[in-house]
Amino acid sequence: MSSFDSSSKPRMGTWALALLIILGYVTVLIAFPPRFEPVEGETSSLLLFIGRFHPIFLHLPVGALGLLCLMELGCLTRSGEEKLGGAALLTLLVGSAGAVMAVLAGILLSREGGYAGGNFSLHQTLAIIGTSGILLALVVRMLGMGQEERGLLHFYRALFFASFGLMGLGAHFGGNMSHGSKYLTAHAPEPLKSRMIAMENWMLGFVEKPKAELETPDTLPPAETPPVGATSSDKLVFQHVLMPIFEAKCNTCHNEDKTKGGLRMDTYALLMQGGDSGESVIPGKPDESLAIERILLPEDDDEHMPPKGKEQMTADELALFRWWIEQGASETLKMDEAKLPENLKTAAEAVMKGQTAS
């Protein structure tokens, strides 16, 4: 008789496998406790190497547990449970093991540095809670199999679907870190879009620290906000031309949640502050500015920005960035004051219209 026979209770070998997965999970959390602030000290290269597999490992539980959702719908009847229960248990074991591997790799990846903020906190917290729920659901399912009374199996399914939902929600916040906070909602129809954004902001409110006002250098006056209905000439070069470029090409790695190299590019003050390697922008000196230097490196260079595989800056976008630095890297420079060459003026207007500068 198979260990995954739908008509009987799980055998000792199956229980041993489940216990091994659970003990492995507990060991992971004890040996590598989750942290929500930047980790001090160095982490071994081997652990960081394992952490880099997080994007690969997380697809295993998603696929297995997603399939299990369909299988469990077929197990709602007694006859369905008799036919599919054993296969469902096997799938749950595979998904549980994959979830533990993904959590381990994710925790190790976070120790590489550059991860913080609300999206990171929710991604990690929901993943851990969801995985814990999946493992508890595994035990409940095994206890309920082969029983005449189906109460445990009903409880298991409620617990499983809730836990898988939490894991999916955690994956969404992970997606925000990788692709930007507007990735999922950008093309969502109304009123779904507004409700999704409101729910997301509500959840982030529980974990994000109040944002202190950033100080800008005394030599720079506060940026002026163009009046409603302002023409393109009244708009600011930094806010309305460069920031959309940074948002599309740079900020997935240089934002509040993910600060690669200690650099953030989501505000003017933080861009000018630079990162771990020094000043990213030196006003008037584009060739000495680290940001320009990294963009111009060969694409297969480890220091190249954006990384290979990510959408690269176009020639016109890079030219706009260089021109802005050359003119003094002002936060308050208006389009009508900027003496842009005609080709760059056309590129800037394209960006302000939401188009890509070629």
Side-chain angles (χ1 to χ4, degrees):
M1 183 181 293
S2 168
S3 296
F4 301 101
D5 192 326
S6 301
S7 61
S8 64
K9 297 180 180 180
R11 300 177 68 180
M12 288 302 297
T14 308
W15 276 106
L17 180 57
L19 181 60
L20 183 63
I21 294 172
I22 294 170
L23 287 177
Y25 181 63
V26 173
T27 301
V28 165
L29 295 183
I30 292 175
F32 307 103
R35 299 181 182 179
F36 298 91
E37 298 294 338
V39 179
E40 296 182 1
E42 293 188 1
T43 302
S44 75
S45 296
L46 176 60
L47 295 180
L48 294 179
F49 172 71
I50 296 172
R52 291 290 181 95
F53 284 89
H54 176 64
I56 298 175
F57 288 160
L58 65 83
H59 288 90
L60 175 61
V62 169
L65 298 177
L67 173 62
L68 183 58
C69 288
L70 299 177
M71 297 176 72
E72 289 298 345
L73 293 177
C75 291
L76 289 174
T77 63
R78 188 176 296 275
S79 61
E81 175 65 25
E82 290 175 354
K83 293 177 181 178
L84 296 174
L89 175 58
L90 176 59
T91 306
L92 179 55
L93 283 165
V94 172
S96 299
V100 171
M101 292 166 59
V103 168
L104 168 61
I107 290 174
L108 295 179
L109 180 63
S110 71
R111 297 187 174 221
E112 190 172 304
Y115 296 95
N119 282 300
F120 168 68
S121 295
L122 285 175
H123 173 59
Q124 183 170 246
T125 300
L126 291 171
I128 291 173
I129 294 174
T131 300
S132 301
I134 291 294
L135 294 176
L136 178 58
L138 170 63
V139 173
V140 175
R141 179 176 239 299
M142 294 177 69
L143 289 172
M145 292 180 70
Q147 302 282 352
E148 284 296 323
E149 182 60 45
R150 295 173 55 80
L152 277 177
L153 288 178
H154 293 324
F155 173 64
Y156 148 72
R157 291 190 182 99
L159 178 59
F160 165 71
F161 282 115
S163 300
F164 188 53
L166 288 176
M167 291 177 70
L169 194 56
H172 163 66
F173 288 104
N176 281 356
M177 294 168 57
S178 300
H179 304 290
S181 59
K182 298 178 182 178
Y183 181 71
L184 185 62
T185 59
H187 302 293
E190 292 289 0
L192 179 61
K193 179 177 181 177
S194 298
R195 291 176 179 174
M196 289 174 67
I197 293 174
M199 177 62 74
E200 185 177 285
N201 290 337
W202 176 74
M203 294 185 68
L204 287 169
F206 287 99
V207 294
E208 286 187 336
K209 297 177 181 178
K211 294 181 180 178
E213 292 187 5
L214 296 167
E215 295 182 0
T216 56
D218 294 336
T219 55
L220 293 172
E224 300 175 17
T225 302
V228 177
T231 63
S232 61
S233 62
D234 294 319
K235 293 184 176 180
L236 305 175
V237 174
F238 178 78
Q239 181 180 346
H240 297 97
V241 177
L242 291 176
M243 279 303 292
I245 296 173
F246 296 158
E247 180 68 27
K249 308 293 174 70
C250 309
N251 287 0
T252 54
C253 292
H254 300 287
N255 57 64
E256 181 182 9
D257 298 298
K258 190 175 181 181
T259 53
K260 286 294 185 182
L263 174 65
R264 284 179 58 178
M265 299 179 69
D266 50 330
T267 73
Y268 176 80
L270 291 172
L271 171 65
M272 301 304 291
Q273 180 178 302
D276 297 339
S277 300
E279 295 178 275
S280 59
V281 170
I282 300 177
K285 300 178 179 179
D287 293 329
E288 297 179 27
S289 297
L290 193 56
I292 298 296
E293 179 185 314
R294 295 289 174 84
I295 294 170
L296 291 175
L297 287 172
E299 195 171 334
D300 58 358
D301 192 297
D302 289 342
E303 300 295 330
H304 173 78
M305 296 196 318
K308 186 177 181 179
K310 298 284 187 180
E311 188 177 3
Q312 302 295 308
M313 275 194 184
T314 66
D316 280 347
E317 288 170 343
L318 175 57
L320 283 167
F321 192 13
R322 286 182 60 92
W323 178 89
W324 174 74
I325 296 174
E326 195 170 50
Q327 300 303 308
S330 170
E331 184 184 15
T332 58
L333 179 65
K334 293 182 179 180
M335 281 295 295
D336 62 352
E337 299 169 348
K339 298 179 180 179
L340 279 162
E342 196 60 35
N343 64 314
L344 292 186
K345 185 176 181 181
T346 301
E349 289 174 349
V351 172
M352 289 189 289
K353 292 177 182 177
Q355 302 169 359
T356 299
S358 59

